[in-house]
Amino acid sequence: MKYTASGIIINKDKKILLIQRTDTAKEFPGFWDLPGGKSEKGESPEETAIREVKEEVNLDFKPSEILIATKYKNLKEYKFTGKWTGSIIPQKSEVKDYRWFSYKDAINIPLSFNCKKVIGVLKEKELIS
């Protein structure tokens, strides 16, 4: 079964890293989202999150828990919290921009499907400020 997986990247200031999708993205062009994407054959959800975070923002991500598992169209979606290291280098073909957002700033930008829900859960758990 195909699915998507994303990494939730939070810095020491309790801000979340969001990427802006390119204007040519198939879904939600120009919207802000978590780094993530579709699985490749034989990948686990954790492996997909690790690969996608590395591809899109060049960070080494180690998933620790599933924050949210949901469905979008015919795909299961996994949103992982975890540890990360490295320096951000955006993938130009998929990432138009990236920024660190507080909860207040994040809820006031155009967010892709389920991203607003993720940010709300992170705020409730006091993982972002």
Side-chain angles (χ1 to χ4, degrees), residues 1-94:
M1 177 183 191
K2 282 275 206 189
Y3 49 82
T4 67
S6 301
I8 299 167
I9 310 295
I10 299 170
N11 70 14
K12 60 181 171 54
D13 298 323
K14 290 189 162 187
K15 291 186 176 182
I16 187 168
L17 177 69
L18 297 177
I19 58 170
Q20 187 177 30
R21 300 166 67 85
T22 61
D23 295 332
T24 57
K26 286 183 184 177
E27 296 201 33
F28 300 102
F31 281 64
W32 292 85
D33 203 353
L34 301 166
K38 290 183 182 169
S39 62
E40 292 183 354
K41 188 174 182 172
E43 276 186 330
S44 69
E46 292 86 353
E47 290 168 332
T48 300
I50 291 165
R51 179 182 51 76
E52 285 288 343
V53 169
K54 187 66 172 178
E55 286 177 3
E56 292 186 354
V57 291
N58 192 50
L59 296 176
D60 295 311
F61 180 70
K62 184 174 181 175
S64 56
E65 76 172 278
I66 297 170
L67 181 78
I68 293 176
T70 187
K71 232 179 153 180
Y72 176 66
K73 295 187 177 178
N74 293 328
L75 295 173
K76 280 197 98 166
E77 283 193 325
Y78 298 92
K79 310 295 186 190
F80 289 95
T81 57
K83 304 275 186 211
W84 62 275
T85 58
S87 299
I88 298 169
I89 301 172
Q91 181 185 30
K92 301 272 187 233
S93 61
E94 292 189 31

